[in-house]
Amino acid sequence: MKKSLKISILSIITFLTICGIFLFSLPNIFSTHAEITEETEGVSVIETAQDLQDFVNNYQESDAESVVLLTANIDMSGYTLNGTIGTETNPFSGTFDGNGHTISNLTFSFTDIDNDVPSYIGLFGVTSGASIFDLGISETTTVTVANSPNVLDIGVLVGSAENGTSIENVSINSTLNYIDQSVNNSSINENNRGLKTINAGGMVGELKNSTIQNSFFRLNNSVQENAMSFTLSSIFRRDAKFGGIAGAITNSSVMFVVSMPFFDIDISENFAGTTYVGGIFGTISQGNSKVINCVVEPTISVSNASSNTVYSGAVGGYITLPAPTRNNISYIYYNSSLSAFGDSTNYSSNSTITSVSDTITTHLDAENHLDAEDYFTSKSWNGLYGDHWDFANTFIIEGNNISLQAFQDEFLVRVATSSVSLDENIIILLDEYGNNATDNELEIRRGYNDTVEINFKFNASVSDLIGQYYSLSNLTLRSNTSGETRSVASFNEVEVDDEDEYRYRLDSVANYERIFMSSSTVDSETVYTITINGITNNYTGLYQLNVTANEFVGRFEYRLFDKNDNLVDELAKTECYVYNKTGGNQTSSSYTINDITYNNSYTIATNANSRSIYEFRGWYLDVGNDGVIEGDTPLSSPDEAGVYSNSDLNVTFGQDDFALTENFVVYAKYVDNSCSLNFDFNEGVERIVISTNENAITEIGSISVRKQSNVKLEVYLKDNYTFDAQRFLAQFNTFTGFCERVDDGSNPSYYQFNLDLTQLNDPSFNDQLNLTFETEYNDTTDWTMIWIIVGSVLGGLVLIAVIVIIVVVVKRRGGGGRGGKISKSSYKNMYY
């Protein structure tokens, strides 16, 4: 039943359960964004500072829905941007994939007073429904304006994010240096003075109907000149809102963010507006707005020379009406001497907004090492929304800092194979060029969310065993950091449209397109590829491809057939036994081995009770399990005399008759080979004992015996009875040696015979044998003494009678001579 390799792989590789398979139980382990590559249709690739300057400064309406891919880290030192990606009239609504790269030293200059300064300033001016992810901005971001607009939304990343804009996996470690030349610019129209307001954020100036998650703004430096410095003078006579993440939040969500800003705000005495400052937001409004699962460690310095109000809080400055729904601002940990909010009159806050004394950069682990991860895992972060801080796939701890995996240079994946009980390796790993890997091990280095391919083939010398007797059972991963070995998952076949490609979904990942195994033919060899789409910290370490022996179930039993080779349903359960001699004797009607593996050997034995009428007729491999012996494979043969003398079955699974690829049943065939012995005997026989019958025979009747050799027949006679053994043996003179006397005749009441019952197989017996035992009574009594005793007794009686008669006669005569009367006493005395 030998199959091709492909069919074998498809039929045998199956899902194992234990494991337990639990390594990737964390949700959303892969980026939800569609993969963007340089080959993606319509993609705009930005690789150099010049590329970025050209794209920003020449932004036009046709760029609004662009798909942009950053393919390298870019230092913008020496380059000046006088525009933004997206404007108020032409917002950016496309996709910007930072691909884990960072833009540093951004410089914006709007100093030409003949041109209007944009109201929305950042790398992105205005976004509407845009998707920005895996992007970093670092160093100093400088914005210089000569004629500031009446309303200014300014952020390092986005001026105003609107209408479903999604910002995810963005890391900003940058100083926002805002220079407003209009403060002392005499050419400013005095009519504009007093109409200006500002929304400024470390990430976004104003967040409206949009989301920010899994992101950072980090600027917690002790050096004053590195702070986000704003001077609020007479030109700002309306509100000023500053936030570590966003200056103003309206109907938007901020979740799983770390904000570590340093604000230095100088309010002049002639400033006429209200100031709002917070570690996350300046102001927030609308019931659906959410700030959940955040860490805030702000430094806020406000110098207020005016008489106007300043609302300053570690989390936010002011919660405005309509306020967020209760619990929509929750699960926030902040480290600051400030209160959580400058003013929370409009919001009923809850206890999940917690002031803590420890910080990310100073938290100690059990060994007094700085460990930022413990800062997160030791707290109850999960709120009413979102899932958790995902250190396996999104965040990462480096030294004492928390950051994003998207900005790691590379992840190391090592691959090895498990050892198996064969002379050669079953799996051969292949390098990226298709050659056999050195020492059968691989090292693969990839960036965050890159695709990892593990290529291998099966050793040609044992390829026929794959799928039949061995399977690629599962993939394990030993973590680079903890050293813990965990099961990734087992391979589970799934259907795909392409019949030439076989895919096996890893159980822990619902979408098998993310992690799968496929096969292809290279130089007439089948090559298998395990593809991991989206490598993260959770996927780095030592992968081991494990090959395990397929386990089969073998059931060994006996089956009873009648004289016509028909299966008998009712088995004599106590008369025949099957057992495994390798694993210790057993006495049962069947024996099952549940873990039979390739090349393992077993010795199975069978026997019948010594008094059983059933005869062993060989081992058979059941074909069809239909109870019909025809077509079943014989596994043993008789000797020249037709006798199955050896009842042991030697099994080496995978070899010869046991080159099987499925569970099997083997049975010992037993045949009812009995003969009825009919006993007829007279009163001289006390009992008859035959070795195949556990009870002595004391009444005329019959018993069943198996037609086997050397059955001992014992006859016990009653006293004074004799038995003519020769006449008994003469009944069998037709068959030489069928029955013979074996005792020495020393006990005349005991006769022993040896019956060679193999001759009962002769058809002339018709399975009936009459045994007649005739005895004769033999009177051996000695009458001599009896007659002596009887004669003595009779002679004594006669003598006594004679004496009595004589005495009587004498007495009578004496009395008569005296002629007198004789008294009664005289008569009495006559007797004496």
Side-chain angles (χ1 to χ4, degrees):
M1 219 163 24
K2 186 174 182 180
K3 303 179 181 179
S4 70
L5 180 59
K6 288 186 178 179
I7 299 302
S8 299
I9 290 289
L10 280 172
S11 61
I12 299 300
I13 295 181
T14 57
F15 180 78
L16 301 179
T17 3
I18 312 14
C19 189
I21 313 271
F22 41 52
L23 172 61
F24 300 109
S25 59
L26 302 178
N28 192 28
I29 65 172
F30 293 106
S31 170
T32 57
H33 308 291
E35 183 179 6
I36 299 173
T37 66
E38 296 183 44
E39 287 73 32
T40 301
E41 184 177 358
V43 68
S44 297
V45 176
I46 294 178
E47 186 175 10
T48 66
Q50 187 63 55
D51 292 340
L52 182 59
Q53 183 186 54
D54 290 345
F55 186 79
V56 173
N57 290 348
N58 299 322
Y59 179 82
Q60 53 188 338
E61 185 177 355
S62 60
D63 296 320
E65 297 182 0
S66 297
V67 176
V68 182
L69 177 66
L70 199 63
T71 59
N73 294 329
I74 296 177
D75 186 352
M76 293 298 292
S77 298
Y79 290 82
T80 300
L81 305 176
N82 51 36
T84 60
I85 302 174
T87 64
E88 184 177 8
T89 57
N90 185 25
F92 180 74
S93 58
T95 299
F96 195 101
D97 182 359
N99 199 25
H101 296 300
T102 299
I103 301 171
S104 59
N105 295 307
L106 283 168
T107 299
F108 296 88
S109 178
F110 304 99
T111 58
D112 186 352
I113 60 175
D114 293 331
N115 296 323
D116 291 334
V117 175
S119 296
Y120 308 97
I121 299 176
L123 177 62
F124 298 85
V126 180
T127 61
S128 177
S131 178
I132 304 169
F133 56 91
D134 294 352
L135 175 62
I137 298 178
S138 67
E139 304 304 329
T140 300
T141 298
T142 302
V143 177
T144 304
V145 298
N147 187 4
S148 61
N150 290 339
V151 177
L152 177 62
D153 284 353
I154 183 171
V156 173
L157 182 67
V158 184
S160 180
E162 306 171 358
N163 301 325
T165 293
S166 172
I167 299 172
E168 184 176 1
N169 276 26
V170 170
S171 178
I172 296 180
N173 188 1
S174 177
T175 300
L176 177 59
N177 185 13
Y178 175 71
I179 304 172
D180 194 337
Q181 295 178 349
S182 61
V183 172
N184 298 311
N185 192 336
S186 60
S187 66
I188 295 297
N189 188 338
E190 289 295 326
N191 293 328
N192 288 336
R193 294 185 184 276
L195 300 179
K196 300 182 185 298
T197 187
I198 184 170
N199 298 314
M203 191 169 288
V204 176
E206 189 170 6
L207 189 69
K208 297 185 291 186
N209 304 301
S210 298
T211 62
I212 298 175
Q213 62 181 356
N214 296 341
S215 296
F216 289 86
F217 175 74
R218 181 185 292 109
L219 186 62
N220 194 3
N221 299 313
S222 60
V223 182
Q224 181 90 9
E225 56 265 26
N226 288 334
M228 294 177 64
S229 301
F230 291 87
T231 299
L232 301 180
S233 64
S234 60
I235 69 167
F236 295 105
R237 292 191 179 179
R238 289 189 178 181
D239 296 343
K241 304 170 185 176
F242 304 96
I245 300 299
I249 295 176
T250 304
N251 201 36
S252 298
S253 297
V254 175
M255 295 190 295
F256 299 106
V257 300
V258 174
S259 180
M260 304 171 69
F262 195 142
F263 284 112
D264 182 19
I265 299 172
D266 185 12
I267 305 174
S268 63
E269 60 181 352
N270 55 0
F271 176 69
T274 303
T275 304
Y276 308 91
V277 186
I280 293 180
F281 58 84
T283 64
I284 189 170
S285 66
Q286 298 295 327
N288 288 330
S289 288
K290 301 180 181 69
V291 177
I292 298 174
N293 283 343
C294 297
V295 176
V296 187
E297 295 183 5
T299 299
I300 299 175
S301 175
V302 179
S303 177
N304 185 11
S306 73
S307 59
N308 295 314
T309 305
V310 175
Y311 294 99
S312 179
V315 177
Y318 194 83
I319 301 174
T320 68
L321 292 174
T325 303
R326 176 175 169 79
N327 291 329
N328 272 11
I329 304 178
S330 61
Y331 293 91
I332 302 170
Y333 289 79
Y334 67 93
N335 179 283
S336 175
S337 59
L338 296 172
S339 298
F341 306 103
D343 187 290
S344 59
T345 305
N346 300 318
Y347 182 74
S348 179
S349 62
N350 53 58
S351 60
T352 58
I353 302 174
T354 307
S355 174
V356 294
S357 60
D358 50 355
T359 66
I360 295 175
T361 58
T362 61
H363 199 66
L364 300 180
D365 63 13
E367 298 178 353
N368 291 324
H369 296 150
L370 294 177
D371 186 357
E373 184 170 4
D374 186 54
Y375 179 85
F376 291 85
T377 58
S378 64
K379 304 185 189 317
S380 301
W381 288 100
N382 297 344
L384 301 176
Y385 308 94
D387 296 306
H388 50 258
W389 292 87
D390 185 358
F391 289 96
N393 303 284
T394 302
F395 302 94
I396 193 170
I397 302 300
E398 287 188 314
N400 309 323
N401 294 318
I402 180 173
S403 59
L404 293 168
Q405 293 184 33
F407 303 97
Q408 300 304 297
D409 292 334
E410 65 179 20
F411 294 94
L412 173 62
V413 171
R414 295 177 296 135
V415 188
T417 61
S418 64
S419 58
V420 293
S421 57
L422 292 179
D423 293 337
E424 300 181 73
N425 290 325
I426 284 184
I427 292 180
I428 298 176
L429 295 175
L430 304 175
D431 61 21
E432 58 183 325
Y433 305 105
N435 301 319
N436 293 359
T438 305
D439 297 327
N440 212 30
E441 293 186 355
L442 288 174
E443 282 195 359
I444 303 172
R445 298 179 184 273
R446 294 290 184 272
Y448 173 81
N449 217 28
D450 284 349
T451 297
V452 174
E453 290 186 347
I454 301 172
N455 296 305
F456 65 93
K457 63 183 179 180
F458 294 112
N459 192 310
S461 63
V462 295
S463 60
D464 289 343
L465 304 179
I466 302 301
Q468 296 181 1
Y469 300 114
Y470 290 91
S471 292
L472 181 64
S473 60
N474 69 327
L475 196 64
T476 57
L477 172 61
R478 178 178 290 275
S479 170
N480 278 340
T481 54
S482 68
E484 176 187 2
T485 298
R486 298 167 290 183
S487 175
V488 174
S490 301
F491 296 102
N492 186 28
E493 176 191 345
V494 294
E495 296 181 1
V496 292
D497 295 334
D498 187 353
E499 294 182 356
D500 294 330
E501 186 176 28
Y502 308 115
R503 292 190 173 181
Y504 302 88
R505 176 176 62 83
L506 298 187
D507 176 66
S508 57
V509 182
N511 184 358
Y512 70 83
E513 292 293 339
R514 286 296 186 181
I515 303 182
F516 59 87
M517 185 175 79
S518 58
S519 64
S520 59
T521 302
V522 179
D523 296 333
S524 72
E525 289 186 306
T526 301
V527 175
Y528 297 88
T529 302
I530 295 176
T531 302
I532 304 174
N533 279 333
I535 194 70
T536 68
N537 192 50
N538 203 29
Y539 284 78
T540 59
L542 174 62
Y543 284 90
Q544 182 164 290
L545 286 165
N546 297 306
V547 176
T548 58
N550 296 337
E551 292 186 350
F552 297 83
V553 176
R555 190 173 81 248
F556 302 88
E557 61 185 23
Y558 80 85
R559 294 179 184 176
L560 178 62
F561 294 81
D562 62 18
K563 294 177 174 64
N564 297 319
D565 242 5
N566 297 318
L567 185 65
V568 178
D569 291 335
E570 294 297 326
L571 296 180
K573 297 295 184 183
T574 60
E575 294 193 21
C576 300
Y577 309 109
V578 177
Y579 56 91
N580 181 8
K581 294 181 76 171
T582 309
N585 290 352
Q586 305 264 342
T587 55
S588 61
S589 59
S590 65
Y591 185 80
T592 300
I593 304 176
N594 294 303
D595 54 355
I596 292 180
T597 56
Y598 177 78
N599 224 30
N600 276 9
S601 297
Y602 311 87
T603 300
I604 309 299
T606 183
N607 66 276
N609 186 293
S610 60
R611 297 185 177 90
S612 173
I613 63 173
Y614 307 126
E615 182 177 342
F616 174 67
R617 293 289 178 85
W619 289 98
Y620 287 83
L621 175 65
D622 189 0
V623 178
N625 198 22
D626 52 7
V628 178
I629 194 172
E630 184 176 354
D632 289 348
T633 303
L635 303 175
S636 55
S637 55
D639 57 21
E640 294 180 356
V643 177
Y644 291 86
S645 57
N646 184 10
S647 59
D648 289 355
L649 176 67
N650 295 315
V651 177
T652 300
F653 190 70
Q655 306 295 329
D656 302 326
D657 291 325
F658 288 92
L660 308 173
T661 57
E662 55 190 15
N663 300 336
F664 62 91
V665 177
V666 169
Y667 62 89
K669 179 183 179 182
Y670 281 89
V671 173
D672 181 354
N673 193 31
S674 62
C675 174
S676 294
L677 297 183
N678 302 317
F679 293 90
D680 185 13
F681 49 84
N682 55 26
E683 70 279 0
V685 176
E686 181 180 87
R687 67 183 185 280
I688 299 174
V689 177
I690 188 167
S691 59
T692 58
N693 186 33
E694 58 183 322
N695 298 318
I697 300 167
T698 58
E699 296 180 356
I700 294 175
S702 63
I703 65 168
S704 294
V705 295
R706 191 169 69 200
K707 302 172 184 178
Q708 66 179 11
S709 60
N710 299 322
V711 172
K712 183 170 65 173
L713 175 68
E714 300 172 284
V715 180
Y716 294 86
L717 303 181
K718 297 178 181 179
D719 292 340
N720 300 322
Y721 282 86
T722 59
F723 176 66
D724 189 344
Q726 294 304 317
R727 186 168 62 179
F728 174 76
L729 293 173
Q731 299 179 71
F732 315 110
N733 56 9
T734 305
F735 296 92
T736 305
F738 173 78
C739 182
E740 59 182 4
R741 182 81 182 277
V742 295
D743 70 318
D744 57 6
S746 60
N747 183 355
S749 297
Y750 172 80
Y751 294 83
Q752 178 181 333
F753 301 91
N754 183 45
L755 297 181
D756 180 7
L757 296 185
T758 58
Q759 298 194 52
L760 297 184
N761 288 307
D762 190 286
S764 64
F765 277 101
N766 196 26
D767 295 331
Q768 298 284 332
L769 179 63
N770 298 320
L771 299 177
T772 302
F773 300 88
E774 296 180 356
T775 62
E776 295 180 359
Y777 185 77
N778 183 15
D779 189 358
T780 58
T781 305
D782 188 357
W783 291 98
T784 304
M785 183 60 66
I786 295 175
W787 286 116
I788 293 174
I789 295 172
V790 172
S792 299
V793 172
L794 291 177
L797 292 174
V798 172
L799 180 59
I800 292 171
V802 172
I803 294 173
V804 171
I805 293 173
I806 294 174
V807 171
V808 171
V809 173
V810 170
K811 287 291 185 180
R812 285 182 175 177
R813 289 180 178 176
R818 286 192 301 269
K821 186 177 181 179
I822 301 174
S823 65
K824 292 182 180 180
S825 61
S826 298
Y827 283 107
K828 185 185 302 183
N829 292 332
M830 290 176 62
Y831 294 96
Y832 299 98

